[in-house]
Amino acid sequence: MITDIKAYHADGKDNQYLEDIVDRVSQRLWKSGFQLENVLADTGYSSGENYAYLERKGIKSYIPPPGTYKGGPDGFEYVKSEDHYIRPNGAVVPFKKVFKDYRTKTLKKEYRISSKICRECPLSASCLGKSA
């Protein structure tokens, strides 16, 4: 079922228009007695801002991350309720800040632990980058 249609200027990216689309569709569905619970979109609508927006609105998103998305390091467990990672040896890698990636102009979350602690770990060669 088509629930919305609108033309946007070609000079913007798809992910810049998701909030507008969701707001318009939500209002239209609400007037008909429905509630928007899920959003399905292609990778072009993927951004940290959009994921955060949908989460704040209580809407489950089915938007795949872009091909450059790496996720967490292998062997690390993400604990959503605490917003941190747990290393294979059990140490916590806490959330530190949100920053804007200068290359992609998107918001990203940074998780960091002291590199001194990491040097003692046998996995450090696979985790630490040049600027870790």
Side-chain angles (χ1 to χ4, degrees):
M1 170 184 353
I2 297 173
T3 56
D4 185 62
I5 187 166
K6 181 176 179 181
Y8 293 96
H9 293 284
D11 62 346
K13 295 181 178 181
D14 287 347
N15 67 22
Q16 295 173 304
Y17 303 114
L18 183 78
E19 287 187 33
D20 180 55
I21 294 167
V22 168
D23 287 343
R24 285 194 339 272
V25 171
S26 292
Q27 289 174 9
R28 185 174 299 111
L29 291 174
W30 182 78
K31 289 177 185 176
S32 299
F34 296 99
Q35 181 179 354
L36 182 62
E37 296 177 357
N38 302 300
V39 168
L40 172 68
D42 65 31
T43 303
Y45 291 92
S46 175
S47 76
E49 292 92 341
N50 285 342
Y51 295 136
Y53 166 77
L54 293 169
E55 190 172 300
R56 281 192 310 273
K57 305 248 325 162
I59 299 172
K60 186 166 185 166
S61 66
Y62 295 93
I63 305 172
T68 57
Y69 176 75
K70 296 177 185 169
D74 288 341
F76 283 55
E77 175 189 349
Y78 179 67
V79 180
K80 184 175 182 176
S81 62
E82 303 294 324
D83 194 16
H84 66 239
Y85 283 90
I86 298 178
R87 294 178 12 189
N89 69 358
V92 172
V93 181
F95 166 73
K96 289 295 183 181
K97 66 180 179 178
V98 173
F99 67 96
K100 188 171 234 177
D101 186 318
Y102 71 93
R103 294 165 299 182
T104 61
K105 307 290 188 248
T106 59
L107 296 179
K108 294 187 177 185
K109 294 176 83 173
E110 178 177 283
Y111 298 83
R112 186 176 289 232
I113 193 169
S114 168
S115 61
K116 293 175 186 173
I117 294 170
C118 290
R119 282 190 199 111
E120 300 168 7
C121 176
L123 298 174
S124 65
S126 63
C127 295
L128 295 176
K130 293 177 185 175
S131 63

